[in-house]
Every structure is written in C-alpha cells, then in structure tokens.
Amino acid sequence: MSRSLPRAAFALLLSLVLTGAAVAVAGPARADRWTYDDAVGDVTTQATTDTSITVTPVLEQANGDIVQVTGTHKARKVSITMRMRAPLTGPFMVSAMLRVPGKRFMVMAPKMPGFSSTELMELSMDEDASRCRGIKRTVAGDRMSVRITVPRSCLGNPRWFKFGAMLTTVALFTDASYDDDALATGTSLYGNAAMSPKIKR
C-alpha cells in the first residue's frame, strides 16, 4: 500500500490554507443545508516524478466518482454526505476542509490497511481537536454514499461553516490512487480548490 495517498490528500487541502485561493461554488444555500451536483466522470489520477506532478482524467473510473455532495448544519452536528456514481469498493479516504468563523479544520477519514481512525485537526494548532469525541465516517448499506459527521462542539459551536471535500480511492493489486474533488470538475494537487457557501444555523 502506497504511503503517498494520505500525503496527497493532505497537500491538496493544505493548499487551501497556504494559498488562500479557495473559491466559492455558485448557488443558493438554505439556512441549514446546501447541495451541489458534481460532474460525472471527473476522477483523476496522479503521476509524480522528481520534478513534476502530472494529473490525468480517468473518465471510465466509476469507483469513487462523486455525483452529489450535501453539507448539513444541525443543532448538534455538521455533516458532509457524498453520493457516488457506483458502489464504493476497496480502500478509500474522505478528506474535508471545514472553515468556521476564525478557524479552519481538516478531517481525515481513511478506510484502508494501516489507516483507519477518523481525525479532526485544528489548523491554527491552538487546540488539540483530534481528542474530540463523536466524529464519524459512515458508509451507506448500498455503498452508494459516504458521510462524515462532526459535533458542532468540536468546532466551537459556529454560526456557519463552509467546506471543501475530496474522495480518494485505491485500486486493489495495482496500488494506483484516484481522486475526485466533490466541488469541482477534476482536481489537482496544487490547483484552486472550491469551497461551499456558508451553511448557517
């Protein structure tokens, strides 16, 4: 199993923080829920050399191809639900950036050998958010959707939150990895990643 998979997802999400290049996806938001229809067939794979990173679209890759994502803001928790084009199979990782007033968090939710715990990291490093209880990753029984849930108390009970998210899958036996940015057509490791509008309570 390649150890570069978590690093790739981490680097993509961290680029939001370092470059400040996140752009909001157009569309109205309800007070507590926002849904976005992601493009079908926009999964990509990466090839890395000592001097460059090449991102290639893989149109036929149905596993891990997100077709819709919904952010929900309830009284006690926030959640991000990704619906797929085909049943999710094999190892995978959900990565999400959460922005609330004055803070940014990263959620890493892998399901793969050697990486199984769901973690929340507060990017300012002022607090150890990873100790917060109740953070969950749930795969639907038909494996057509995956959800991550974070208690609002872990985020400081914010008035609103914004999110960006990505699903990474790994092909069994070949160890190739595939990425789909839930809020954009395709994804690149250092490209401009999209974030949702504010989802308010």
Side-chain angles (χ1 to χ4, degrees), residues 139-145:
V139 179
D142 60 3
R143 306 193 68 81
M144 293 295 290
S145 67

Side-chain angles (χ1 to χ4, degrees), residues 32-36 68-72 79-83 147 161 163 183 199:
D32 60 355
R33 178 175 295 179
W34 179 78
T35 297
Y36 175 78
Q68 188 179 77
V69 60
T70 300
T72 306
S79 64
I80 301 169
T81 303
M82 302 178 193
R83 301 190 186 283
R147 173 181 298 158
F161 84 102
F163 74 90
L183 301 182
I199 306 172

Side-chain angles (χ1 to χ4, degrees), residues 143-162:
R143 306 193 68 81
M144 293 295 290
S145 67
V146 61
R147 173 181 298 158
I148 54 173
T149 304
V150 181
R152 289 183 71 240
S153 58
C154 297
L155 306 174
N157 295 305
R159 302 183 310 276
W160 55 263
F161 84 102
K162 299 172 67 173

Side-chain angles (χ1 to χ4, degrees), residues 21-69:
V23 293
V25 176
R30 275 180 41 189
D32 60 355
R33 178 175 295 179
W34 179 78
T35 297
Y36 175 78
D37 293 326
D38 188 45
V40 175
D42 63 343
V43 175
T44 62
T45 190
Q46 299 176 27
T48 304
T49 68
D50 292 338
T51 58
S52 66
I53 298 174
T54 303
V55 178
T56 305
V58 189
L59 301 179
E60 68 278 9
Q61 177 69 18
N63 186 34
D65 188 4
I66 301 165
V67 296
Q68 188 179 77
V69 60

Side-chain angles (χ1 to χ4, degrees), residues 72-94:
T72 306
H73 196 162
K74 295 186 176 181
R76 295 186 178 181
K77 61 186 178 181
V78 303
S79 64
I80 301 169
T81 303
M82 302 178 193
R83 301 190 186 283
M84 269 76 71
R85 173 175 148 195
L88 187 60
T89 61
F92 69 88
M93 180 167 66
V94 178

